């Protein structure tokens, strides 16, 4: 795979990112895991989880992780410009006419459809992560409490990530120790 | 001088916004208050346009805000500045992952991030249900999409195109009848 090819794949993904960045995981799975087998499913899921916990845009972060994995530093740079190129051009070239378009009833109809599809794709993303993770007691506990915290206490994403990562590492540390103790 | 401020402000957004594109909007609101580069009405317009063009909303809004502030050069600088912190962080984290992939803490952190990530996404989906799934036709469409996609390996973009077309037809139908 050359840098140019990588740029073109990310340009394509950038153009297909309708309804925001959340639909990136199914698109990346289709391009890099299923069609080309360049990245393993497990790596992709790891990158997605890490991308959500880093600052910045999730779609850009995960694209750069893949770029770096495949072609090093320049791969990451190419992924960054690839994923941005079409969205950037659309805004620069079309911004002036798009303002009035958002009020058109047909455009709103299409957007309504895209909005529903995005929910379906996010649900598929959750399902994919769910299936590809080792689901032990630990996984369910973290998932349940993080979700409750997000919904009922209105924790922000960064608060959720910090609180539960610290909790998770302590928990694992504790369990590792007792396990070692059992073996002795 | 405006270019320097633009770069700095958007670099800050890239460094401090967690949780995806919509998390950048409070920062953009703050900018509109401090700098008078664009008004609040223009920001609302930007978010609306950003959600109908392809791409992550965060990139689109940054591009649009840069364009309003300082033309095409402004939009290129704003978008690039917003993504630079991510680029550095991703490269650093990738190197650390490669070096310490067997480390206990690295493995525990990744194992913990997966359920957290699922929870974050689930809360996003639940949050969208209320504003997006308002009536029976939306429920039916969502149900059909989920059934169609559940066990198939089709390109995900197909579902977006189908739903957009369904939306178009529904509008056309309501105009006709």
């Amino acid at each position: 795979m050359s840098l140019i090819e990588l740029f073109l794949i990310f340009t394509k993904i950038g153009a297909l990112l309708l309804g925001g960045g959340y639909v990136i995981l199914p698109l990346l799975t289709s391009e890099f895991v299923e069609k080309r087998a360049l990245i393993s499913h497990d790596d992709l899921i790891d990158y997605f989880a890490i991308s959500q916990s880093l600052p910045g845009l999730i779609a850009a972060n995960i694209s750069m992780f893949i770029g770096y994995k495949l072609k090093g530093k320049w791969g990451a740079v190419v992924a960054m410009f690839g994923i941005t190129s079409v969205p950037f051009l659309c805004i620069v070239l079309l911004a002036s006419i798009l303002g009035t378009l958002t009020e058109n009833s047909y455009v709103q109809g299409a957007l309504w459809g895209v909005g529903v599809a995005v929910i379906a794709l996010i649900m598929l993303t959750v399902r994919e992560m769910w299936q590809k993770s080792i689901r032990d007691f630990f996984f369910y506990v973290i998932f349940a409490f993080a979700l409750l915290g997000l919904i009922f206490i209105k924790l922000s994403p960064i608060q959720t990530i910090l609180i539960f990562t610290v909790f998770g590492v302590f928990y694992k540390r504790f369990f590792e120790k007792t396990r070692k103790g059992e073996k002795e | 001088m405006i270019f320097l401020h633009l770069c700095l402000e958007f670099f800050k957004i890239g460094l401090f916004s967690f949780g995806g594109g919509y998390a950048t909007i409070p920062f953009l609101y703050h900018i509109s208050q401090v700098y008078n580069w664009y008004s609040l009405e223009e920001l609302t317009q930007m978010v609306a346009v950003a959600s109908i063009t392809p791409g992550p909303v965060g990139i689109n809004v940054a591009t649009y805000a840069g364009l309003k502030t300082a033309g095409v050069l402004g939009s290129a600088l704003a978008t690039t500045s917003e993504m630079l912190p991510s680029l550095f962080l991703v490269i650093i984290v990738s190197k650390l992952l490669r070096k310490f992939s067997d480390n206990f803490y690295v493995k525990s952190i990744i194992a913990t991030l997966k359920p957290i990530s699922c929870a974050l996404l689930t809360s996003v989906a639940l949050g969208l249900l209320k504003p997006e799934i308002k009536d029976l036709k939306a429920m039916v469409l969502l149900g059909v999409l989920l059934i169609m996609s559940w066990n198939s390996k089709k390109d995900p973009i197909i579902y977006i195109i189908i739903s957009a077309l369904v939306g178009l037809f529904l509008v056309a139908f309501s105009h006709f009848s």
Side-chain angles (χ1 to χ4, degrees):
Chain A
M1 154 128 350
S2 68
L3 282 173
I4 294 173
E5 212 179 322
L6 196 65
F7 179 80
L8 291 176
I9 298 174
F10 278 110
T11 304
K12 181 185 164 193
I13 294 175
L16 293 177
L17 271 182
L18 296 164
Y22 281 108
V23 300
I24 186 100
L25 191 63
L27 289 173
L28 291 172
T29 310
S30 153
E31 289 291 331
F32 287 98
V33 180
E34 283 157 12
K35 283 188 201 158
R36 294 187 176 78
L38 288 168
I39 301 272
S40 76
H41 222 139
D42 290 337
D43 279 349
L44 194 61
I45 300 291
D46 283 1
Y47 289 147
F48 189 75
I50 300 168
S51 295
Q52 275 203 308
S53 53
L54 290 180
L57 307 166
I58 297 160
N61 290 350
I62 190 171
S63 302
M64 292 185 228
F65 269 115
I66 292 173
Y68 187 86
K69 169 93 176 173
L70 295 175
K71 298 297 278 182
K73 252 180 274 172
W74 290 110
V77 173
V78 158
M80 173 178 116
F81 283 113
I83 199 87
T84 334
S85 57
V86 174
F88 179 83
L89 286 177
C90 279
I91 295 283
V92 169
L93 297 175
L94 305 173
S96 49
I97 56 164
L98 286 173
T100 49
L101 259 187
T102 52
E103 281 150 32
N104 178 289
S105 65
Y106 287 95
V107 173
Q108 284 181 343
L111 280 179
W112 169 86
V114 171
V116 176
V118 166
I119 298 178
L121 287 177
I122 296 176
M123 288 177 170
L124 282 180
T125 306
V126 175
R127 177 171 171 262
E128 209 168 303
M129 294 208 68
W130 190 265
Q131 284 178 334
K132 297 286 166 187
S133 305
I134 304 159
R135 293 190 309 282
D136 43 13
F137 178 68
F138 174 79
F139 182 97
Y140 291 119
V141 167
I142 299 272
F143 174 79
F145 281 97
L147 190 58
L148 289 174
L150 282 162
I151 295 174
F152 291 109
I153 317 176
K154 304 267 176 236
L155 290 176
S156 71
I158 182 62
Q159 287 169 330
T160 313
I161 290 161
L162 284 176
I163 293 169
F164 287 96
T165 310
V166 170
F167 172 75
V169 172
F170 268 107
Y171 185 99
K172 288 247 168 194
R173 182 84 248 182
F174 176 71
F175 259 73
E176 290 291 293
K177 271 190 178 165
T178 51
R179 264 198 205 146
K180 270 181 199 159
E182 279 165 9
K183 273 178 201 161
E184 279 163 13
Chain B
M1 208 43 203
I2 192 169
F3 291 114
L4 186 67
H5 279 294
L6 196 69
C7 288
L8 276 174
E9 285 301 325
F10 280 90
F11 191 84
K12 267 201 283 188
I13 296 180
L15 194 56
F16 295 115
S17 63
F18 286 87
Y22 287 102
T24 66
I25 292 168
F27 291 91
L28 294 163
Y29 173 76
H30 176 74
I31 290 177
S32 76
Q33 303 292 301
V34 175
Y35 289 97
N36 293 317
W37 286 339
Y38 45 81
S39 68
L40 202 55
E41 288 74 34
E42 284 174 313
L43 179 61
T44 318
Q45 169 92 352
M46 286 180 208
V47 177
V49 169
S51 54
I52 68 165
T53 52
V57 174
I59 290 179
N60 298 348
V61 181
T63 309
Y64 203 162
L67 189 69
K68 284 261 184 215
T69 311
V72 177
L73 182 60
S75 63
L77 287 175
T79 312
T80 314
S81 306
E82 186 173 290
M83 288 201 298
L84 273 184
S86 290
L87 181 67
F88 296 137
L89 283 168
V90 164
I91 291 175
I92 293 167
V93 170
S94 294
K95 283 193 172 154
L96 289 174
L97 281 178
R98 198 172 281 178
K99 216 171 178 181
F100 300 105
S101 59
D102 291 327
N103 177 284
F104 164 76
Y105 290 100
V106 172
K107 279 200 281 190
S108 320
I109 289 173
I110 294 178
T112 315
L113 285 179
K114 281 185 202 179
I116 296 175
S117 183
C118 279
L120 284 170
L121 278 178
T122 308
S123 78
V124 171
L126 291 175
L128 286 174
L129 281 180
K130 212 177 176 186
E132 300 283 345
I133 311 296
K134 275 183 272 195
D135 49 16
L136 188 67
K137 33 180 219 273
M139 262 188 257
V140 171
L141 179 60
L142 182 64
V144 171
L145 285 173
L146 285 174
I147 293 165
M148 269 170 60
S149 56
W150 209 244
N151 281 313
S152 88
K153 291 266 177 218
K154 283 200 199 73
D155 223 320
I157 200 68
I158 290 172
Y159 306 116
I160 290 189
I161 294 169
I162 292 174
S163 322
L165 288 177
V166 170
L168 273 181
F169 278 119
L170 285 174
V171 171
F173 186 72
S174 70
H175 280 213
F176 181 72
S177 59

